[in-house]
Amino acid sequence: DAVYGVVGIVIKKDPLAMFENSILLSILGECALALENEKNAWEKQEAAVLAKNEQLRSQLLRAISHDLRTPLTSISGNASNLLSNGPSFDEATRQSLYQDIYDDAMWLINLVENLLSVTRLEEGRLNLNMSAELVDEVIKEALNHVDRKCTEHILTERCEDELLLAKMDAKLIVQVVINLVNNAIKYTEPGSHISVEAKQEGKWAVISVADDGPGVPDENKEKLFEMFYSGANRIVDSRRSLGLGLSLCKSIVNAHGGTISIHDNDPHGAVFTFTLPVEEVQLTG
């Protein structure tokens, strides 16, 4: 009931015999059936992509509406308190309210940065500004910007070679380390140990973020790097997240040609490890 194409047959003086005509119609029928199947498969694939995009949009809207409401409510409530009752508060109370407003604002900024970076990476619009960078310095820079709740944990940093160079976009790798450390802070109890280590293995710089928290169940390990996935292992009072952080980390590391993975820590906890290509030092004399 549809036209999929037009076939031209060169016939000389004599018309096709009935048998030849039947064979020709059978061949054309098979071709039409193959084209119809291909069209149906393409439409099915397109519908699946549209459904997935719609599902992602719905998840994003639900997550944003939930995640933005909490810090915005806190910011507006604290600001209203300061405006109405500021003079009657003692200095310690005012400083506490200021700190809460600052923390919530910084959390929102980090959320938006992650969201924008994921969007650019998914659309292929994020240009990497690659250069040789000292891994130790990049890690130290990242640790200067992690969640202030890190003071409730024992955070250590160690680089086997302080002169270890890797080829990277430093700004994006700082974001990867921040996300991994903040993830460890979020999913471990206060007082837990979090360590950031870097070393060279062959042509790769290997950076790992380890904690001694409850760890990640094996069935959840593969899902951790999916967009919008948030683990079920939540500490009470820990703010729910969009689930963009680890997905973004994977996209950034893959864009650098490296890999990112998770494995269990001993005796308990999780270790996130990612790799970057080592940059050799060129000495001129």
Side-chain angles (χ1 to χ4, degrees), residues 5 7 38 45 127 141 157 218 257 269:
V7 178
E38 184 179 358
Q45 183 180 5
N127 296 320
E141 174 65 20
E157 179 261 335
D218 289 339

Side-chain angles (χ1 to χ4, degrees), residues 22-39:
S22 297
I23 292 292
L24 178 60
L25 290 177
S26 295
I27 292 172
L28 294 177
E30 289 296 322
C31 290
L33 183 62
L35 287 169
E36 184 176 35
N37 288 339
E38 184 179 358
K39 180 173 180 287

Side-chain angles (χ1 to χ4, degrees), residues 55-285:
Q55 183 184 16
L56 287 175
R57 276 194 293 269
S58 298
Q59 287 177 317
L60 180 59
L61 287 172
R62 281 198 303 271
I64 285 180
S65 62
H66 181 284
D67 281 26
L68 296 188
R69 187 180 296 117
T70 302
L72 287 174
T73 301
S74 174
I75 289 172
S76 61
N78 288 332
S80 176
N81 258 338
L82 286 167
L83 286 171
S84 304
N85 307 308
S88 62
F89 290 147
D90 58 39
E91 185 62 24
T93 302
R94 281 198 298 271
Q95 287 300 320
S96 176
L97 291 173
Y98 292 146
Q99 187 66 59
D100 287 342
I101 291 173
Y102 175 79
D103 287 344
D104 283 318
M106 291 305 296
W107 186 87
L108 286 172
I109 289 171
N110 185 57
L111 174 78
V112 173
E113 285 293 330
N114 280 348
L115 188 58
L116 290 174
S117 294
V118 165
T119 304
R120 292 190 190 111
L121 278 169
E122 291 296 319
E123 295 178 357
R125 294 189 292 109
L126 189 62
N127 296 320
L128 299 180
N129 298 313
M130 304 290 280
S131 61
E133 301 286 347
L134 285 169
V135 174
D136 187 47
E137 288 187 357
V138 169
I139 291 174
K140 283 183 168 62
E141 174 65 20
L143 295 183
N144 287 332
H145 300 283
V146 297
D147 193 314
R148 75 180 181 96
K149 287 188 177 180
C150 70
T151 56
E152 300 173 3
H153 297 68
I154 302 168
L155 181 60
T156 59
E157 179 261 335
R158 186 172 74 91
C159 189
E160 287 187 0
D161 180 5
E162 292 184 356
L163 298 179
L164 176 60
L165 284 169
K167 193 172 184 180
M168 68 177 90
D169 183 318
K171 183 179 179 182
L172 290 178
I173 298 303
V174 163
Q175 196 167 0
V176 169
V177 176
I178 290 172
N179 284 348
L180 292 179
V181 174
N182 283 347
N183 188 71
I185 293 169
K186 185 190 305 177
Y187 287 98
T188 58
E189 296 280 2
S192 301
H193 294 77
I194 300 172
S195 64
V196 185
E197 298 186 2
K199 60 183 177 180
Q200 182 173 349
E201 290 184 0
K203 296 182 179 180
W204 298 97
V206 181
I207 298 103
S208 62
V209 177
D211 66 66
D212 57 0
V216 179
D218 289 339
E219 62 270 19
N220 292 350
K221 284 186 173 69
E222 289 297 320
K223 301 176 184 176
L224 278 181
F225 298 102
E226 294 177 5
M227 193 178 295
F228 304 124
Y229 178 80
S230 292
N233 239 347
R234 290 218 163 264
I235 305 302
V236 177
D237 295 331
S238 175
R239 181 181 288 132
R240 190 176 160 276
S241 74
L242 274 175
L244 292 174
L246 294 179
S247 170
L248 175 61
C249 291
K250 182 178 180 179
S251 297
I252 290 174
V253 172
N254 287 348
H256 282 74
T259 59
I260 186 168
S261 60
I262 176 178
H263 62 272
D264 293 330
N265 200 5
D266 186 27
H268 56 83
V271 182
F272 286 88
T273 303
F274 68 94
T275 61
L276 297 170
V278 166
E279 182 76 2
E280 298 294 336
V281 180
Q282 302 294 330
L283 297 177
T284 57

